[in-house]
Coordinates of all heavy atoms in Angstrom, one line a residue:
W108 N 229.5 56.8 53.0 CA 230.3 55.7 52.7 C 229.9 54.6 53.7 O 230.0 53.4 53.4 CB 231.8 56.1 52.8 CG 232.4 56.5 51.5 CD1 232.6 57.7 51.1 CD2 232.6 55.7 50.3 NE1 233.1 57.9 50.0 CE2 233.0 56.7 49.3 CE3 232.5 54.5 49.9 CZ2 233.4 56.3 48.1 CZ3 232.7 54.0 48.7 CH2 233.1 54.9 47.7
A109 N 229.8 55.0 54.9 CA 229.3 53.9 56.0 C 228.0 53.3 55.5 O 227.9 52.0 55.7 CB 229.2 54.7 57.4
E110 N 227.1 54.1 55.1 CA 225.7 53.5 54.6 C 225.9 52.6 53.4 O 225.4 51.6 53.4 CB 224.8 54.7 54.3 CG 223.4 54.2 53.9 CD 222.6 53.4 55.0 OE1 223.1 53.4 56.2 OE2 221.6 52.8 54.7
Y111 N 226.7 53.0 52.5 CA 227.2 52.2 51.3 C 227.7 50.9 51.7 O 227.2 49.8 51.3 CB 228.0 53.0 50.4 CG 228.7 52.0 49.3 CD1 227.9 51.8 48.3 CD2 230.0 51.7 49.5 CE1 228.5 51.0 47.2 CE2 230.5 50.8 48.5 CZ 229.8 50.6 47.3 OH 230.3 49.7 46.4
L112 N 228.7 51.0 52.7 CA 229.4 49.7 53.0 C 228.4 48.8 53.9 O 228.4 47.6 53.7 CB 230.6 50.1 53.9 CG 231.7 50.6 53.1 CD1 232.8 51.0 54.2 CD2 232.3 49.8 52.1
R113 N 227.5 49.3 54.7 CA 226.5 48.6 55.4 C 225.5 47.9 54.4 O 225.3 46.7 54.6 CB 225.8 49.5 56.3 CG 224.8 48.7 57.2 CD 223.9 49.7 58.1 NE 222.9 50.4 57.3 CZ 221.9 49.9 56.7 NH1 221.6 48.7 56.9 NH2 221.0 50.6 56.0
L114 N 225.1 48.7 53.4 CA 224.2 48.0 52.4 C 224.9 47.0 51.6 O 224.4 45.9 51.3 CB 223.6 49.2 51.5 CG 222.6 50.0 52.1 CD1 222.3 51.2 51.1 CD2 221.4 49.3 52.6
R115 N 226.2 47.3 51.3 CA 227.0 46.3 50.6 C 227.3 45.0 51.3 O 227.1 43.9 50.8 CB 228.4 46.9 50.2 CG 229.2 46.1 49.3 CD 230.4 46.7 48.7 NE 231.1 45.7 48.1 CZ 232.5 46.0 47.7 NH1 232.9 47.2 47.9 NH2 233.2 45.0 47.0
N116 N 227.5 45.1 52.5 CA 227.6 44.0 53.4 C 226.3 43.2 53.6 O 226.3 41.9 53.5 CB 228.1 44.3 54.9 CG 229.5 44.8 54.9 OD1 230.3 44.3 54.0 ND2 230.0 45.5 55.9
T117 N 225.2 43.8 53.7 CA 224.0 43.3 53.6 C 223.6 42.5 52.3 O 223.1 41.3 52.3 CB 222.8 44.4 53.9 OG1 223.0 45.0 55.1 CG2 221.4 43.7 54.0
L118 N 224.0 43.2 51.3 CA 223.8 42.5 50.0 C 224.6 41.3 49.9 O 224.2 40.2 49.4 CB 224.1 43.5 48.8 CG 224.1 42.9 47.5 CD1 222.6 42.4 47.2 CD2 224.4 43.9 46.4
N119 N 225.9 41.4 50.3 CA 226.8 40.2 50.2 C 226.3 39.0 51.2 O 226.4 37.8 50.9 CB 228.2 40.6 50.7 CG 229.0 41.5 49.6 OD1 228.6 41.4 48.5 ND2 230.0 42.3 50.1
D120 N 225.8 39.5 52.3 CA 225.1 38.5 53.2 C 224.1 37.8 52.6 O 223.8 36.5 52.6 CB 224.7 39.1 54.6 CG 225.9 39.5 55.4 OD1 227.0 39.1 55.1 OD2 225.5 40.3 56.4
A121 N 223.2 38.5 51.9 CA 221.9 38.0 51.3 C 222.5 37.0 50.1 O 221.9 35.9 50.0 CB 221.1 39.1 50.7
I122 N 223.5 37.5 49.3 CA 223.9 36.6 48.3 C 224.6 35.3 48.7 O 224.3 34.2 48.3 CB 224.9 37.3 47.4 CG1 224.3 38.4 46.6 CG2 225.8 36.4 46.5 CD1 225.3 39.4 45.9
A123 N 225.2 35.5 49.9 CA 225.9 34.2 50.6 C 224.7 33.3 51.0 O 224.9 32.1 50.9 CB 226.8 34.6 51.6
E124 N 223.7 33.8 51.5 CA 222.6 33.0 52.0 C 221.9 32.2 50.8 O 221.5 31.1 50.9 CB 221.5 33.8 52.8 CG 220.4 33.0 53.4 CD 220.7 32.0 54.3 OE1 222.0 31.9 54.8 OE2 219.9 31.3 54.7
I125 N 221.7 33.0 49.7 CA 221.1 32.5 48.5 C 221.9 31.2 48.0 O 221.5 30.3 47.7 CB 220.9 33.5 47.4 CG1 219.8 34.4 47.9 CG2 220.5 32.8 46.1 CD1 219.6 35.7 47.1
E126 N 223.2 31.5 48.0 CA 224.1 30.4 47.6 C 224.2 29.3 48.4 O 224.1 28.1 48.0 CB 225.7 31.0 47.4 CG 225.7 31.9 46.3 CD 225.4 31.5 44.9 OE1 225.7 30.3 44.7 OE2 224.8 32.2 44.2
R127 N 223.9 29.5 49.8 CA 223.9 28.3 50.7 C 222.6 27.6 50.5 O 222.7 26.3 50.5 CB 223.8 28.9 52.2 CG 224.0 27.8 53.2 CD 223.7 28.4 54.6 NE 222.5 28.9 54.9 CZ 221.4 28.1 55.0 NH1 221.6 26.8 55.2 NH2 220.2 28.6 55.3
L128 N 221.5 28.3 50.3 CA 220.3 27.6 50.1 C 220.2 26.8 48.7 O 219.8 25.7 48.6 CB 219.1 28.5 50.0 CG 218.9 29.2 51.3 CD1 217.8 30.4 51.3 CD2 218.3 28.2 52.3
R129 N 220.9 27.4 47.6 CA 221.0 26.7 46.4 C 221.9 25.4 46.5 O 221.6 24.4 45.8 CB 221.7 27.5 45.3 CG 220.8 28.6 44.8 CD 221.4 29.4 43.6 NE 220.5 30.4 43.1 CZ 220.9 31.4 42.4 NH1 222.2 31.5 42.2 NH2 220.1 32.3 42.0
A130 N 222.8 25.3 47.5 CA 223.7 24.2 47.6 C 223.0 22.9 48.4 O 223.4 21.9 48.3 CB 225.0 24.6 48.2
L131 N 221.8 23.3 49.0 CA 221.1 22.4 49.7 C 220.6 21.4 48.7 O 220.0 21.8 47.7 CB 220.0 23.0 50.6 CG 220.5 23.7 51.8 CD1 219.3 24.4 52.5 CD2 221.3 23.0 52.8
P132 N 220.5 20.1 49.0 CA 219.9 19.1 48.2 C 218.4 19.4 48.1 O 217.8 19.9 49.0 CB 220.3 17.8 48.8 CG 220.6 18.0 50.2 CD 221.1 19.5 50.3
S133 N 217.8 18.8 47.1 CA 216.3 18.9 46.9 C 215.6 18.1 48.0 O 216.2 17.1 48.5 CB 215.9 18.6 45.6 OG 216.0 17.3 45.3
R134 N 214.5 18.4 48.3 CA 213.6 17.5 49.2 C 213.6 16.1 48.8 O 213.7 15.2 49.5 CB 212.2 18.2 49.4 CG 211.4 17.3 50.4 CD 210.1 18.1 50.6 NE 209.3 17.6 51.7 CZ 208.4 16.5 51.6 NH1 208.4 16.0 50.5 NH2 207.8 16.2 52.6
D135 N 213.4 15.9 47.4 CA 213.3 14.6 46.9 C 214.6 13.8 47.1 O 214.5 12.6 47.4 CB 213.0 14.7 45.3 CG 211.5 14.9 45.2 OD1 210.6 15.1 46.2 OD2 211.0 15.1 44.0
A136 N 215.7 14.4 46.9 CA 217.0 13.9 47.0 C 217.2 13.5 48.5 O 217.7 12.4 49.0 CB 218.1 14.7 46.6
V137 N 216.8 14.3 49.4 CA 216.9 14.1 50.8 C 216.1 12.8 51.2 O 216.5 11.9 51.9 CB 216.6 15.3 51.7 CG1 216.4 14.9 53.2 CG2 217.5 16.4 51.5
L138 N 214.8 12.9 50.8 CA 213.8 11.7 51.1 C 214.4 10.4 50.5 O 214.4 9.4 51.1 CB 212.6 12.0 50.5 CG 211.7 13.1 51.4 CD1 210.4 13.4 50.7 CD2 211.4 12.5 52.8
E139 N 215.0 10.4 49.3 CA 215.5 9.2 48.6 C 216.7 8.8 49.5 O 216.8 7.5 49.7 CB 215.9 9.4 47.1 CG 216.4 8.3 46.4 CD 215.4 7.0 46.6 OE1 214.3 7.2 46.5 OE2 215.9 5.8 46.7
E140 N 217.5 9.5 50.0 CA 218.7 9.2 50.8 C 218.2 8.6 52.0 O 218.8 7.6 52.6 CB 219.6 10.3 50.9 CG 220.9 10.0 51.7 CD 221.8 8.9 51.1 OE1 221.7 8.7 49.7 OE2 222.5 8.1 51.7
A141 N 217.2 9.2 52.7 CA 216.7 8.6 53.9 C 216.2 7.2 53.6 O 216.2 6.3 54.5 CB 215.6 9.6 54.4
A142 N 215.5 7.1 52.6 CA 214.9 5.7 52.3 C 216.0 4.8 52.1 O 215.9 3.6 52.5 CB 214.1 5.9 50.9
R143 N 217.1 5.2 51.4 CA 218.2 4.1 51.2 C 218.8 3.8 52.6 O 219.2 2.6 52.8 CB 219.3 4.8 50.4 CG 219.0 4.8 48.9 CD 220.1 5.2 48.0 NE 219.7 5.9 46.9 CZ 220.0 7.1 46.5 NH1 220.6 7.9 47.3 NH2 219.3 7.5 45.4
V144 N 219.0 4.8 53.4 CA 219.5 4.5 54.8 C 218.6 3.6 55.5 O 219.0 2.6 56.1 CB 219.7 5.8 55.5 CG1 220.0 5.6 57.0 CG2 220.8 6.6 54.9
A145 N 217.3 3.8 55.5 CA 216.3 3.0 56.2 C 216.3 1.5 55.5 O 216.2 0.5 56.4 CB 214.9 3.6 56.0
E146 N 216.4 1.6 54.2 CA 216.5 0.1 53.6 C 217.7 -0.7 54.2 O 217.5 -1.9 54.2 CB 216.6 0.4 52.0 CG 215.8 -0.3 51.2 CD 215.8 0.2 49.7 OE1 216.8 0.8 49.3 OE2 214.7 0.1 49.1
R147 N 218.8 -0.1 54.3 CA 220.0 -0.8 54.7 C 220.0 -1.0 56.2 O 221.1 -1.6 56.7 CB 221.2 0.0 54.2 CG 221.3 -0.2 52.8 CD 222.7 0.4 52.3 NE 222.9 1.9 52.7 CZ 222.7 2.9 51.8 NH1 222.2 2.8 50.5 NH2 222.9 4.1 52.2

C-alpha cells in the first residue's frame, strides 16, 4: 500500500506538472506580448 500510494503521488505530481505546462502561453504569444510592451 505504501508503494502504491508513493506511485500514486508521483503520478499525481506528474499530472499536475503537465497541466501547469499546458497552462503556459505559447512562445509566440509571449513574444507578441513582449513586442506590444516594447512598442508602448
Side-chain angles (χ1 to χ4, degrees):
W108 275 106
E110 181 65 10
Y111 166 77
L112 292 173
R113 187 187 66 75
L114 291 174
R115 186 171 171 190
N116 285 339
T117 301
L118 177 62
N119 288 341
D120 290 347
I122 290 169
E124 182 63 10
I125 289 168
E126 293 303 318
R127 185 190 70 77
L128 291 172
R129 282 185 181 159
L131 291 176
S133 70
R134 183 175 189 275
D135 285 351
V137 169
L138 287 173
E139 184 55 37
E140 185 58 26
R143 283 191 211 117
V144 168
E146 225 166 32
R147 295 188 298 262

